[in-house]
Amino acid sequence: MTQTTLFDRDTPLYIESASGVLPKFPARRWKRWLLRFGFFLIFAAVAVWFEIASDGQQTATANAELAARIADLRLGAGIEPIEALHPLITGILASVIPGGAFGLSIAGCVVGAFLVQLIVQSLERKAVPRPLAVALVVTLSLTPMFFYIVTTNFQAVLSLTFFGFAMIALLRFTTFANTQAGFRAGLLLALAAFSDTTAAFAVLVVAAASLVLVQSRQRARLANALVIAYPTVAFYAAFAALGVAFRVGPFAMLGGAPAWSQSNADTLLSALATPAGALYYSPTVVIALAAGVLGYLWLGLVGVLLTVSTTLAYLLGYAPPGTAGNSFVMSLLFAIALIQRPRTRPHAWILGGTALLLLCIGWVSAFGRPTILTWMSTLTGGAL
């Protein structure tokens, strides 16, 4: 292979920034912190409201389960402490966050505020029209499911934030040939998987997404997928090997071996049987159809696989008690992070209509999820 051929193959087709530096949004640091603080106050108000309405008894929530598990943690020899801390990143953070379940709720509000600001910045960098960007941010952040996750499920919002970061980095890696962003995307997905095991299956789906995104470098699809998947696979293999070395089995340090959860299956089926629950998978269908209409059929199919992966993790018992809405929020993050600036006005209208439809679905389907309905009933003093 000649030097010219190699150079031609490695020349990016698309350049994200001539300087290699992207502007932050808002441009001034104090405005970025003000934006984050504004979202934090909104989320924290609901968290405090729920704490008061539940008389400080946040039972049947993921935060309550995590706080109780950390409170019973006893350090010592062997692998028991590692098992108790799983998922490892969330467990370590929860062990130093004071306030029990309520402390985790406030921490989740902080993380959620950073996530929303990151999405706003990403849309601004891609020059998405402001009305459409506002519609997308509202669809993501102002639904009962997002508020429920932020205020009751610290490990889910932390994992989703890493996932959102990873999706943005993935686009910069594959489409704009930002190699550093590719390594960040792989590591962020590993952090997401070790923050909430529900996201573990999604990593392979995201690696598949890197195969169908617009490629800036020729013949780099497989290499891109390997870069994205390697950190998570390597970490899981290392922990499995450690479990084998301790003679406790490969899954002992990974939350246990996958096993069918009949209770989770019954909960899912009962939710799907309700009129509102029938909309459970409709966001995935809507996103897939919109992607097909806009010429991104393969990405739409990857979005379907993403929903299948989160459902599979839930049915295999990897989701903590009180988990709900993860699939909806993850699908929205996947779509928003990978969306490009509309090429024509009809495309902009399609995206805006899709965002409005998803916002309506997010509110209506929340009433078909028993866990979220119980949470809303607590907030309203039993009015729902």
Side-chain angles (χ1 to χ4, degrees), residues 69 83 89-90 127 139 160 165 189 193 196 267 328 355 367 374:
R69 179 155 46 87
E83 290 179 297
I89 294 174
T90 305
T139 300
L160 288 168
F165 274 52
L189 286 172
D196 186 353
T267 299
F328 176 80
F367 290 89
T374 301

Side-chain angles (χ1 to χ4, degrees), residues 170-182:
L170 173 66
L171 182 66
R172 298 180 65 189
F173 174 49
T174 59
T175 302
F176 298 106
N178 188 319
T179 305
Q180 186 183 71

